[in-house]
Amino acid sequence: MKKSVIIFCFLTGLTLSVSAQVQTWEEKMESMRQRVQMKMENQQRRVDLQFANQMRRMWLQMQFFEGEAAPEIPEPSIPKVYDPAIRIPQNQQEMRVIPDLNLPSDEGLVYAPDLRLNPEPEPEVSAPDPAMEADVNRMNREVQLAYFGKQMALRYDSGMEFEMASVLNVNSIADQWEQLEKTPYEYLVYQLTRQARDLKLNDWGFAILVNETAKQIYPHDKNARTLFNWFVLTKAGYIATVSYEGNQLYLMVPSKHVLYGKSYLQGKEHKLYAIDLDGGNPELLRAKVFQAQHPEAKKVMDFQIKNTPVFPDQSKRKMMNFSYAGKTWAVPVEVNTNLVDFYETYPFVDLEIYMSAPLSASANESMVSALRKIVTEMPLRQGQSREAEGVNLILRFVQTAFPYKPDNEQFGQERYLFGDETLYYPYSDCEDRSVLFAHLVKEIMGLEVVGLLFPGHAATAVQFTTDVPGDYVRYQNKKYVICDPTYINADLGMVLPDVEGQSAKIVAL
C-alpha cells in the first residue's frame, strides 16, 4: 500500500514594534501592557491566517489501513470448575512469559501525516477567572445539555452558528473554519475545559463533551458538528485534523493507544484514527486528508482513565452472595448507571486500560468496604496467612458471585468491561473478572497485580509479600502467583488445565 510523505510548516516568532510617549509610571505600565497585548493578538491573527491558508491547499488523497481486529478470546459457554478429585495442583511450577517482541523495521516506508508527540505538562488547576466569567455571561446564545446526568448551560456567540455547503470541498471547509476563528470562541472553550476539570474527565470524556455541545448547536448538520469538534479540540490544545470523501467530513485524531476496529493512517510514532464521536465507525478506504497541524496543538489523545469521572449519582443496587471456608456472605454492590453509559461510548482498547482504571466511589463505598471488613475479621484456616486467605476470599467472590457468559453470547461480539461495568451487566467472562479481581486485590490487600493473557484465556497473578506456594510467573525479577478468577473454586496458585504449559503475555498495570 502506498503512503505519502507529509511536510509540516512550523511558524517562526513574529515581532512588532510599538512606540509610545509616556509621562508617568502608571501610563508607562499601561502602555507596555497594551503593547504586549497587541503584539500577542497580531501574532495570533497571523498564525490563524496562515493555518486557514494552508487549509485551502495542503490536502492529499490517501489510502487508509483497515482497522485492526479486536483481540478475541474464544471461551467456553460453561466455565471450568476446580475438582480436587480430578486434578491435584502443581506446586511451584513456573509458567512461561512471552518476551517483548522487536518492532518490525520501518526502513523504506513512506508515512501518512505525522504529528508531533511532544509531551505536555499537566495544566495547573486554576480558580474561575472573574473577568472571563463576566464575558461569558455576555454571549448571546445558550445551549442546555445533559451530559451523563450532569445538566449544564453553556453560552456562546451566535457567529459560531453555520451550515456546511451542500458540496464539500477544501474552500467550504476553510470558509467555516475562518468564520469560527472570527468569533470569541475562547469563552466556549473556557466553559468546556472547566466542566471537564470539574467532572474529572479524561481526553475521551472531553471529546464526547465537545460533541454533545455540537449536537445542540448543529442538530441536523453532521459535517458542521465534525468541523466544530475539530476546531474546539484544536483550540483546547489537542492534535487533530480532518479528512473527507464525497460529501462526508471525518475527524482524525492520533492516539497513544491502539483503537481496535478504527480505520487509520500510519505514522512513525502513532496511528491517526478516523473517529465518529456520535458512535459510528467510519470504514474509510480513500479520502482527502488535511496535512497541517496547528502550531498551538500539542496534546495526543490519551485513553487512560486516571480518575473516575464524577457524574450525578443514578444508582443501581444489588446483593452479591458467595461462600468461602464454610461460611456465606452477602456483599452490597452499588453502580452509577451514568458512569456505565459513559463507558458504553468507549472505543475498544487494550486490556491494560481497563485494568488500570480505578473503581468508582459508589463501588468502593459499597462492595470494597464490605469485602475489606470481611477480610479483616474472618477467621484464618490453619497454616494460612491473612494475606493468602484474603486473596483466596476475593478470588471466590469474583469466581462465584458473578454469573458467567462469554461476550459473544452476551453482546454478540468480543468486548472488554471496566470494573464498574462488570458490576452492572448480568454476566461476565474471563477478562472482565480479571479486571475486577485486580482492582479488588489492589484496593483491599494493597498487593501488586498483573494480567495474564494466555491463548484463549485471561487471568491474573499477584505478588505476595511472603513466599506462597503455587503456579507462578516471573516479571521484572518478581514472582507473581497465578490467581484465576474464572477457574471456579480454585485457590491461588492453581492454573487452569487448558492453559497449563502455555506461555502468557503480561498485562502490566
Side-chain angles (χ1 to χ4, degrees):
M1 181 177 295
K2 294 183 179 179
K3 297 172 279 288
S4 304
V5 174
I6 304 302
I7 300 175
F8 290 96
C9 297
F10 296 90
L11 301 179
T12 58
L14 305 176
T15 59
L16 295 172
S17 61
V18 179
S19 61
Q21 299 294 324
V22 295
Q23 299 298 323
T24 65
W25 280 110
E26 289 77 9
E27 291 172 335
K28 186 174 183 179
M29 292 297 292
E30 177 61 20
S31 175
M32 186 178 299
R33 187 195 67 78
Q34 292 179 2
R35 184 186 308 169
V36 171
Q37 183 67 25
M38 185 180 299
K39 180 179 179 180
M40 292 174 62
E41 290 176 355
N42 286 339
Q43 178 169 327
Q44 184 64 51
R45 280 195 291 270
R46 294 189 185 187
V47 169
D48 294 339
L49 179 61
Q50 181 163 345
F51 189 68
N53 287 336
Q54 290 173 332
M55 208 175 295
R56 298 184 188 278
R57 54 187 174 82
M58 293 183 64
W59 295 78
L60 189 66
Q61 185 81 16
M62 303 196 70
Q63 282 188 301
F64 283 67
F65 287 94
E66 184 179 352
E68 296 178 67
E72 290 192 11
I73 301 180
E75 298 177 273
S77 296
I78 301 174
K80 291 291 177 65
V81 178
Y82 170 67
D83 185 351
I86 297 176
R87 180 175 182 269
I88 300 175
Q90 297 290 326
N91 189 37
Q92 300 288 352
Q93 178 185 6
E94 181 173 355
M95 308 296 292
R96 295 191 301 272
V97 175
I98 297 176
D100 291 334
L101 302 178
N102 294 324
L103 296 177
S105 171
D106 59 5
E107 184 177 357
L109 292 181
V110 182
Y111 292 98
D114 202 12
L115 307 178
R116 296 192 301 274
L117 294 176
N118 299 331
E120 288 294 303
E122 290 292 326
E124 295 183 3
V125 175
S126 59
D129 184 336
M132 184 72 79
E133 297 285 347
D135 288 335
V136 164
N137 291 330
R138 285 193 282 270
M139 296 296 100
N140 59 7
R141 289 286 192 273
E142 182 178 275
V143 291
Q144 301 279 343
L145 63 143
Y147 180 78
F148 302 107
K150 170 68 173 178
Q151 303 293 324
M152 61 181 74
L154 302 171
R155 300 192 66 84
Y156 67 98
D157 184 82
S158 58
M160 301 187 80
E161 298 171 351
F162 63 89
E163 292 183 4
M164 292 296 292
S166 57
V167 177
L168 199 63
N169 56 52
V170 298
N171 288 320
S172 64
I173 294 170
D175 287 344
Q176 301 308 333
W177 179 281
E178 287 182 324
Q179 178 174 331
L180 290 173
E181 287 277 17
K182 294 174 183 177
T183 68
Y185 61 81
E186 296 90 346
Y187 301 123
L188 181 55
V189 175
Y190 166 79
Q191 295 170 80
L192 289 167
T193 53
R194 288 199 65 81
Q195 290 286 352
R197 187 209 68 181
D198 293 344
L199 295 174
K200 296 186 178 180
L201 302 181
N202 69 343
D203 294 346
W204 178 252
F206 179 73
I208 295 295
L209 175 60
V210 172
N211 187 58
E212 290 300 311
T213 306
K215 287 179 181 179
Q216 300 301 315
I217 302 176
Y218 319 98
H220 307 298
D221 193 338
K222 185 169 180 64
N223 283 339
R225 293 200 299 271
T226 300
L227 192 142
F228 174 88
N229 291 337
W230 173 34
F231 181 86
V232 173
L233 287 172
T234 298
K235 295 303 180 180
Y238 290 92
I239 300 172
T241 188
V242 289
S243 62
Y244 74 93
E245 181 184 30
N247 279 329
Q248 188 66 54
L249 192 66
Y250 300 97
L251 179 66
M252 307 286 298
V253 297
S255 169
K256 293 183 178 180
H257 308 95
V258 176
L259 306 183
Y260 292 102
K262 304 293 183 186
S263 300
Y264 67 93
L265 300 173
Q266 180 66 59
K268 288 185 178 180
E269 298 182 82
H270 69 281
K271 292 181 174 68
L272 191 66
Y273 289 97
I275 297 293
D276 182 355
L277 295 173
D278 286 338
N281 190 30
E283 297 181 357
L284 298 180
L285 299 177
R286 292 179 62 85
K288 286 187 176 179
V289 183
F290 179 49
Q291 308 165 30
Q293 173 187 336
H294 198 284
E296 296 175 349
K298 299 179 180 179
K299 292 190 290 187
V300 176
M301 194 159 287
D302 187 343
F303 284 84
Q304 283 192 316
I305 300 177
K306 298 177 183 178
N307 300 291
T308 304
V310 181
F311 298 131
D313 190 26
Q314 184 172 317
S315 295
K316 177 180 179 181
R317 299 176 177 87
K318 56 184 176 180
M319 299 297 292
M320 310 296 289
N321 301 318
F322 77 106
S323 299
Y324 178 70
K327 191 171 182 179
T328 299
W329 286 276
V331 176
V333 172
E334 187 171 318
V335 185
N336 187 348
T337 58
N338 287 321
L339 179 62
V340 174
D341 290 341
F342 168 69
Y343 285 148
E344 184 79 22
T345 72
Y346 231 75
F348 198 129
V349 289
D350 281 321
L351 190 60
E352 64 193 58
I353 302 298
Y354 302 84
M355 296 192 78
S356 61
L359 285 170
S360 66
S362 298
N364 276 309
E365 291 168 6
S366 55
M367 173 187 62
V368 174
S369 296
L371 286 172
R372 183 180 289 114
K373 182 177 175 62
I374 293 172
V375 168
T376 302
E377 297 178 355
M378 70 176 183
L380 301 181
R381 294 181 296 178
Q382 185 175 4
Q384 295 294 318
S385 68
R386 179 73 60 184
E387 195 172 77
E389 282 285 75
V391 170
N392 271 331
L393 181 136
I394 296 170
L395 256 183
R396 200 70 78 250
F397 170 68
V398 180
Q399 289 168 348
T400 60
F402 298 85
Y404 171 89
K405 185 174 284 187
D407 288 332
N408 285 336
E409 294 184 23
Q410 180 169 204
F411 300 112
Q413 60 185 356
E414 186 68 27
R415 177 178 173 182
Y416 295 162
L417 299 180
F418 289 98
D420 282 83
E421 291 183 291
T422 297
L423 302 179
Y424 173 80
Y425 288 108
Y427 305 102
S428 58
D429 63 3
C430 64
E431 68 272 5
D432 308 327
R433 292 162 179 242
S434 296
V435 168
L436 180 60
F437 175 77
H439 286 314
L440 294 177
V441 170
K442 288 188 294 181
E443 285 289 332
I444 298 170
M445 307 305 300
L447 301 176
E448 288 188 28
V449 186
V450 296
L452 300 177
L453 284 177
F454 295 97
H457 187 60
T460 63
V462 177
Q463 184 194 9
F464 290 88
T465 60
T466 58
D467 188 38
V468 175
D471 299 327
Y472 66 97
V473 298
R474 285 200 177 275
Y475 175 66
Q476 294 184 342
N477 295 322
K478 298 177 182 178
K479 176 183 174 182
Y480 290 81
V481 177
I482 292 175
C483 297
D484 194 327
T486 316
Y487 189 14
I488 308 301
N489 295 331
D491 284 346
L492 61 88
M494 298 181 183
V495 68
L496 188 72
D498 295 19
V499 300
E500 187 173 3
Q502 298 185 20
S503 298
K505 177 184 177 181
I506 295 290
V507 180
L509 309 190

